[in-house]
């Protein structure tokens, strides 16, 4: 923590000066205009948010602090966390210190397990996970320091404490949810010698004789970590945090959004669709069979999960990274083979439907097949894995927002009569 906090503390004054000067000199310049279609269309493309941890452009996809997704795949999640917060990778010593710090903060309070055990046995794992985060709110260092009257310029320090305290516990909580919800037996203790992603894999308790499931978890945690700030989970989390609610409130709010089927929950739907094709055709379908099944899905009014994106207009580089992992470690797996075949066939089908702006796979199209291969077959759990990773982005964005002294979020809404009058309709 010391090194992370010190490094941030050195950067923050310069960052504040830069933003203040930018707003002072150019505050009235226009970044974006808003059309009626955008107002009724989920604000797609409206540039009204600031996010410095990562960016997503239609033709490149995820870029974290200037580094494209394809160059992040060999990194550890802790290196990505440092990158998100600081803007560059940690050196070996900083990484070691951060890892030790996370280990030291990793103990989950007993009351969290009591709360989870008291929940109905058929609770959705996402509801359990978010409840666990929210019920730890009393631990918030930000709330304590705010109540004690700390200065606004210091808000980021206790927010960083909350960020690290939460992130350190998420793998154990998420693994605990898995084992409890799916009757996998007692919780498994953290291994002090494993990094954050590999330890999560270890605590899930799935067989991993060659250690490749640990590799997958490291990759999974890296690829889902951040996706700028306009997506539902990041935007909701940031909005709640902007009210000076602490990160326990902000993160759980954001992750509640990730639980929606058009957002993070799509990953559980994707694998289901792939397995349905296998069942229907008794193995890997032919291109023609797959095409027919895609049309059948679309004609019944459903979406093809894992395809399309609100921003991207190319194959999601995170999907490409999973595909490369699959080709390397599970090329013989039938389910993976179907995923690869879907990629060959489905974009051609979706391109025939004019209204669909992006016919290409997103991050969710391939990840489920990898998890399934390693025995993680409980689909409703998949979004929890996504959440553990995305918490890095939401928490980092909150620390930076507090450091920059961002005000409460409050865009203006309009009534339909007002819009009609404004445009003379
Ligand atoms: N299958 C069928 N129809 C699709 C589609 C798909 N994969 N993708 C888009 N469309 C439809 C939309 O439903 C919309 O139809 P209506 O106008 O009738 O409502 C139309 O095409 C235009 O949509 P769009 O502008 O191309 O896409 P949006 O920005 O509105 O939505 C979504 C983006 C990701 C929600 C959308 O592509 C979708 O529903 N995809 C399937 C679900 C999915 O994979 N979600 C995960 C996205 C990644 C993510 O956030 N992970 O967390």
């Amino acid at each position: 923590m010391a090194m992370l906090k010190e490094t941030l503390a050195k950067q923050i004054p310069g960052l504040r000066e830069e933003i203040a000067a930018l707003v002072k000199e150019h505050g009235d310049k226009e970044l974006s205009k808003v059309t009626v279609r955008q107002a009724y269309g989920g604000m797609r493309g409206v540039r009204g948010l600031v996010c410095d941890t990562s960016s997503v452009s239609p033709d490149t996809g995820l870029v974290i602090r200037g580094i494209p997704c394809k160059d992040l795949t060999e990194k550890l999640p802790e290196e990505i966390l440092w990158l998100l917060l600081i803007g560059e990778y940690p050196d070996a010593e900083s990484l070691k210190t951060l890892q030790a710090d996370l280990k030291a903060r990793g103990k989950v309070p007993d009351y969290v397990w009591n709360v989870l055990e008291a929940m109905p046995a058929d609770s959705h794992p996402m509801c359990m996970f978010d409840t666990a985060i929210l019920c730890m709110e009393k631990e918030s260092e930000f709330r304590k320091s705010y109540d004690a009257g700390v200065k606004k310029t210091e808000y980021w320090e206790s927010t960083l404490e909350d960020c690290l305290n939460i992130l350190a516990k998420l793998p154990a909580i998420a693994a605990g949810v898995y084992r409890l919800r799916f009757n996998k037996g007692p919780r498994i203790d953290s291994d002090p010698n494993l990094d954050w992603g590999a330890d999560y894999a270890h605590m899930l308790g799935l067989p991993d004789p060659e250690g490749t499931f640990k590799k997958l978890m490291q990759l999974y945690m890296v690829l889902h970590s951040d996706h700028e700030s306009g997506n539902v989970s990041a935007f909701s989390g940031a909005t709640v945090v902007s009210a000076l609610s602490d990160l326990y409130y902000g993160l759980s709010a954001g992750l509640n959004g990730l639980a929606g089927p058009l957002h993070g929950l799509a990953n559980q739907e994707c694998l289901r669709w792939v397995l349905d094709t296998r069942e229907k055709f008794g193995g890997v379908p032919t291109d023609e069979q797959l095409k027919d099944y895609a049309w059948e899905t679309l004609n019944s009014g459903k979406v093809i999960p894992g395809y399309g994106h609100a921003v991207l207009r190319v194959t999601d580089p995170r999907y490409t990274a999973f595909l490369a992992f699959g080709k390397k470690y599970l090329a013989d797996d039938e389910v993976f083979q179907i995923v690869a075949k879907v990629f060959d066939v489905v974009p051609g089908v979706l391109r025939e439907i004019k209204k669909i702006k992006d016919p290409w796979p997103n991050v969710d199209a391939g990840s489920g097949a990898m998890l399934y291969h390693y025995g993680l077959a409980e689909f409703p759990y998949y979004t929890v894995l996504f959440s553990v990773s995305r918490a890095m982005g939401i928490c980092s964005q909150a620390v930076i927002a507090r450091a920059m002294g961002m005000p409460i979020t409050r865009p203006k809404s309009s009534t339909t009569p007002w819009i009609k009058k404004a445009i003379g309709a």
Side-chain angles (χ1 to χ4, degrees):
M1 162 73 167
M3 291 171 108
L4 184 60
K5 190 173 172 185
E6 278 162 17
T7 315
L8 258 178
K10 276 190 207 133
Q11 289 186 349
I12 286 171
L15 184 67
R16 284 183 187 146
E17 273 168 37
E18 186 189 345
I19 305 302
L22 193 66
V23 174
K24 189 165 173 225
E25 279 174 46
H26 304 284
D28 292 328
K29 292 191 179 147
E30 192 178 291
L31 290 178
S32 189
K33 63 175 184 179
V34 185
T35 62
V36 173
R37 182 174 292 107
Q38 287 170 313
Y40 284 97
M43 295 191 283
R44 218 55 102 253
V46 175
R47 283 187 182 272
L49 301 170
V50 179
C51 174
D52 285 323
T53 54
S54 69
S55 61
V56 179
S57 66
D59 54 353
T60 316
L62 173 66
V63 174
I64 296 186
R65 297 282 194 172
I67 303 177
C69 177
K70 68 178 175 45
D71 296 334
L72 301 168
T73 54
E74 297 298 322
K75 296 289 172 187
L76 290 174
E78 296 93 318
E79 292 174 283
I80 302 299
L81 175 62
W82 188 286
L83 178 66
L84 287 164
L85 283 164
I86 304 289
E88 55 188 38
Y89 289 128
D91 59 26
E93 198 197 341
S94 306
L95 175 61
K96 242 173 95 182
T97 316
L98 174 61
Q99 289 179 318
D101 187 29
L102 288 172
K103 285 281 177 208
R105 296 167 187 260
K107 166 98 176 75
V108 178
D110 285 341
Y111 65 79
V112 172
W113 304 126
N114 296 339
V115 169
L116 292 179
E117 280 159 13
M119 290 180 77
D122 59 350
S123 300
H124 195 283
M126 274 302 286
C127 177
M128 296 174 76
F129 186 64
D130 289 350
T131 301
I133 295 169
L134 190 57
C135 83
M136 292 191 295
E137 193 279 332
K138 76 183 197 68
E139 315 291 339
S140 173
E141 293 299 325
F142 174 77
R143 183 156 66 85
K144 278 178 218 155
S145 68
Y146 184 83
D147 289 347
V150 73
K151 286 193 290 197
K152 188 175 175 185
T153 49
E154 290 164 18
Y155 286 173
W156 70 270
E157 296 183 31
S158 51
T159 305
L160 179 63
E161 288 289 335
D162 284 353
C163 160
L164 295 173
N165 283 336
I166 293 173
L167 291 177
K169 295 173 181 61
L170 291 188
I173 292 174
V177 165
Y178 178 67
R179 298 192 66 78
L180 173 67
R181 174 64 177 74
F182 299 105
N183 303 314
K184 298 286 174 181
R187 288 188 295 278
I188 297 170
D189 287 338
S190 161
D191 180 338
N193 300 314
L194 291 176
D195 62 81
W196 194 75
D199 200 20
Y200 181 19
H202 156 76
M203 288 185 281
L204 284 168
L206 294 157
D208 186 22
E210 273 139 40
T212 50
F213 181 57
K214 291 191 181 68
K215 275 191 203 308
L216 176 65
M217 276 301 105
Q218 288 162 338
L219 178 68
Y220 197 105
M221 293 297 123
V222 166
L223 293 181
H224 291 83
S225 59
D226 204 32
H227 218 225
E228 64 167 55
S229 72
N231 62 78
V232 166
S233 50
F235 184 48
S236 317
T239 303
V240 171
V241 164
S242 82
L244 294 187
S245 301
D246 60 58
L247 255 179
Y248 294 84
Y249 286 123
L251 178 62
S252 57
L255 297 181
N256 286 338
L258 198 70
L262 294 186
H263 194 15
L265 205 77
N267 60 7
Q268 80 173 48
E269 304 298 326
C270 283
L271 181 59
R272 207 187 303 276
W273 193 82
V274 167
L275 293 180
D276 284 351
T277 64
R278 184 175 67 161
E279 198 184 315
K280 191 172 163 86
F281 301 111
V284 181
T286 63
D287 287 10
E288 213 43 49
Q289 285 171 325
L290 205 48
K291 197 171 161 189
D292 290 346
Y293 190 61
W295 277 115
E296 194 183 314
T297 304
L298 292 164
N299 290 336
S300 68
K302 294 186 192 134
V303 297
I304 309 261
Y307 280 74
H309 201 272
V311 176
L312 286 170
R313 296 296 175 259
V314 291
T315 296
D316 190 332
R318 301 170 297 173
Y319 171 82
T320 309
F322 276 128
L323 198 68
F325 183 96
K327 284 183 177 156
K328 188 166 176 187
Y329 294 110
L330 40 134
D332 296 336
D333 184 298
E334 206 177 47
V335 178
F336 172 70
Q337 287 167 359
I338 300 177
V339 165
K341 208 177 239 288
V342 173
F343 182 35
D344 292 337
V345 172
V346 163
V349 172
L350 295 180
R351 263 199 304 248
E352 288 184 41
I353 304 176
K354 285 227 157 41
K355 67 176 182 178
I356 298 179
K357 298 189 192 68
D358 174 38
W360 302 108
N362 61 56
V363 66
D364 295 327
S367 56
M370 320 275 140
L371 301 169
Y372 193 71
H373 173 82
Y374 288 101
L376 214 168
E378 296 80 6
F379 306 162
Y381 184 73
Y382 290 179
T383 313
V384 175
L385 291 151
F386 192 156
S387 301
V388 175
S389 170
R390 184 51 59 87
M392 284 196 281
I394 294 177
C395 291
S396 302
Q397 290 186 22
V399 174
I400 306 288
R402 289 268 157 82
M404 285 165 57
M406 292 297 270
I408 187 166
T409 303
R410 184 39 168 114
K412 180 81 189 91
S413 59
S414 314
T415 62
T416 297
W418 185 92
I419 289 176
K420 281 184 173 170
K421 199 169 159 211
I423 58 172

